[in-house]
Amino acid sequence: VAQAQRPIFLLDLTCVNRGNGQYEKSSEDISVGRELYTSVLRVYPNAAFTCRLPGGSASLRLEYGMSDTAVGYAPITITVYLDGNQVASRTASPGQVGTLLVDISNGKSLAIETACARATNCNATLRLFKAQLDLGASSPGRR
């Protein structure tokens, strides 16, 4: 019988900050799309961090959103790199929730970068509701 392993919180990995923006753990309830979510990570525009991966089969799960009160602010684009190669990109808009699943099996390093989708009104923060590695999950969505 196979046992599922516990997910690893992204910031429990060894990570280094490479950007001008910041990221921080949080435990704050916010409204996104008129639903209540609890943020585990707050990511500011122009954040960039790289983390060492544990190896083996795994997937990255990011569930994200921007507060309903961020209306008028620029959307934020999240870009994910595995061993220096871009593997995914999504754009979060105020009042909307999204999920990003990426197969990171056998990767050595994971980099996540955020950037404003436009030059004006770039002051909102991206909230992550889940930011974890699911070990033993080699292909998100496949069983």
Side-chain angles (χ1 to χ4, degrees):
V1 176
Q3 269 189 308
Q5 294 188 31
R6 292 185 92 131
I8 298 173
F9 179 57
L10 187 62
L11 294 187
D12 286 344
L13 300 172
T14 301
C15 299
V16 295
N17 189 1
R18 314 181 344 273
N20 295 327
Q22 298 294 316
Y23 57 93
E24 60 192 13
K25 287 183 182 180
S26 73
S27 179
E28 183 180 5
D29 291 334
I30 65 166
S31 176
V32 181
R34 295 182 182 88
E35 292 187 60
L36 189 66
Y37 291 89
T38 301
S39 170
V40 296
L41 191 64
R42 182 184 307 185
V43 184
Y44 297 89
N46 303 313
F49 54 99
T50 302
C51 303
R52 181 175 291 122
L53 293 173
S57 64
S59 63
L60 171 70
R61 171 182 289 274
L62 299 178
E63 293 180 11
Y64 57 87
M66 290 176 69
S67 171
D68 290 337
T69 61
V71 172
Y73 287 101
I76 296 177
T77 300
I78 310 157
T79 306
V80 178
Y81 298 85
L82 183 64
D83 297 335
N85 299 306
Q86 182 178 330
V87 291
S89 182
R90 299 284 187 282
T91 300
S93 297
Q96 295 182 341
V97 172
T99 300
L100 183 117
L101 292 171
V102 182
D103 183 0
I104 55 169
S105 295
N106 302 315
K108 292 181 173 75
S109 66
L110 173 73
I112 297 175
E113 298 178 357
T114 59
C116 283
R118 64 174 192 256
T120 57
N121 293 333
C122 186
N123 295 325
T125 58
L126 178 71
R127 306 302 179 99
L128 299 181
F129 314 121
K130 283 198 178 174
Q132 67 190 39
L133 270 58
D134 294 323
L135 302 178
S138 60
S139 298
R142 192 184 307 164
R143 295 191 183 266

